[in-house]
Amino acid sequence: MQNQTSPLILSFGAADPAGAMGVQADLAAFSALSCTGLAVTTALLIGDSARVEDVQEIDPDWVSDQARVVLEDMTMAAFKVGALTNIEQVAAIAEILSDYPDAPLILDPFSSRLPDLPDDDAEELLTAVRQLLVPQATLLMLSQVELGRLAETWREGADDTLESDVEHLLALGCEFVLVTGTAAGSPQGDAAAPNTLANTLFGADGMISHDAWQHLPGPFLGAGGTLSAAITAFMARGADVPEAVAAAQEYTVGALAHAQRYGMGKFVPNRFFHLLTTAADMQ
């Protein structure tokens, strides 16, 4: 027997039977990157690799108790919060995380896999995320489309830009914002190569990196969650945010390039792809 040596990460998210998103997917990515994952389940999904048919939300008190009991026993190197389904869960998780300000928090609060909420409920949920979780986040990850949806909870005019929306989030206390799916042209205005998308990282001093990647055909299920989980793992191992984002993008590209189709639905990232390449090299 020996004491725990790999970094511990606590992930808040849904339990997905297909393992394509949520806590099962996070734990796989953490393990692949030499971390140990623990999970707080926020919802139970009924679904396969094509769609989610139903969602059963977990009572916020159960969410809180799951986390509290684990945290009284173990010390986390990092936290990840995925998509949430109601404002009571947001409040419960925000209260818990406020007790651990020194551990990195990676916030990835959107998922296209979950059913859309009614407009009023969705706006209330986004407002709660913005007010309670974004100020605590070390890094907030969201697509350009998702940024626009979140920005609708505070925008008063139509002239706001991506940069001004990011500045608003940083002013709330979030240290970094990673916007995925941005235009892939260079900051100097050079044209992008065909079929490329970019991920753009912002910090207090503005844009830090703008990384263009070849768009793989897919369709994929869980690509974004793979990226945010990998960022969390690299930060738990001691990398700073720019280093973690760069390494996580490389890992995610490999996972997507080796993705597998389990059934009749979408391709699921292969989070252990490097084990396949290692085994091939040994033969």
Side-chain angles (χ1 to χ4, degrees):
M1 296 180 63
Q2 63 180 13
N3 292 331
Q4 174 69 30
T5 56
S6 59
L8 298 177
I9 303 172
L10 184 60
S11 176
F12 296 82
D16 178 14
M21 62 158 284
V23 292
Q24 286 98 328
D26 286 347
L27 267 56
F30 298 158
S31 178
L33 295 171
S34 302
C35 295
T36 298
L38 300 98
V40 171
T41 302
T42 60
L44 303 175
L45 307 186
I46 298 175
D48 55 21
S49 61
R51 67 188 63 83
V52 169
E53 296 184 358
D54 205 356
V55 179
Q56 175 64 56
E57 297 177 355
I58 302 299
D59 184 277
D61 289 339
W62 278 64
V63 172
S64 180
D65 288 346
Q66 287 179 78
R68 292 290 187 195
V69 170
V70 169
L71 290 168
E72 288 172 1
D73 182 44
M74 310 172 202
T75 300
M76 299 301 143
F79 295 93
K80 180 191 169 186
V81 175
L84 303 173
T85 57
N86 62 64
I87 60 176
E88 289 80 9
Q89 287 184 355
V90 173
I93 293 171
E95 182 178 358
I96 291 165
L97 294 176
S98 67
D99 292 335
Y100 303 92
D102 295 332
L105 166 61
I106 309 307
L107 179 59
D108 181 12
F110 293 91
S111 174
S112 60
R113 186 156 164 78
L114 296 180
D116 291 334
L117 296 172
D119 289 344
D120 290 345
D121 293 343
E123 184 175 356
E124 289 182 358
L125 180 61
L126 290 175
T127 300
V129 169
R130 172 171 60 85
Q131 294 177 341
L132 301 177
L133 286 175
V134 169
Q136 299 189 56
T138 307
L139 180 141
L140 167 65
M141 191 186 102
L142 70 180
S143 72
Q144 188 167 355
V145 172
E146 293 161 351
L147 175 60
R149 288 170 54 196
L150 183 60
E152 289 176 1
T153 65
W154 74 75
R155 279 181 180 168
E156 296 180 356
D159 297 330
D160 297 270
T161 64
L162 182 150
E163 289 76 12
S164 65
D165 290 339
V166 168
E167 288 175 2
H168 181 94
L169 294 170
L170 293 170
L172 294 175
C174 180
E175 296 181 36
F176 297 88
V177 176
L178 177 64
V179 184
T180 62
T182 59
S186 74
Q188 291 74 31
D190 298 333
N195 298 319
T196 57
L197 294 173
N199 300 324
T200 307
L201 178 65
F202 297 89
D205 296 326
M207 188 177 69
I208 297 172
S209 62
H210 178 80
D211 300 311
W213 300 93
Q214 186 73 26
H215 179 63
L216 300 175
F220 299 106
L221 188 59
T226 302
L227 177 58
S228 58
I231 293 171
T232 311
F234 284 114
M235 291 194 65
R237 289 167 48 184
D240 63 21
V241 169
E243 292 172 339
V245 168
Q249 289 178 114
E250 293 279 1
Y251 168 80
T252 302
V253 168
L256 296 181
H258 294 82
Q260 299 170 316
R261 176 171 272 153
Y262 296 160
M264 296 180 288
K266 299 178 180 180
F267 286 92
V268 177
N270 184 348
R271 298 168 178 91
F272 293 95
F273 70 93
H274 56 294
L275 298 182
L276 299 177
T277 57
T278 301
D281 291 341
M282 295 175 61
Q283 293 178 354

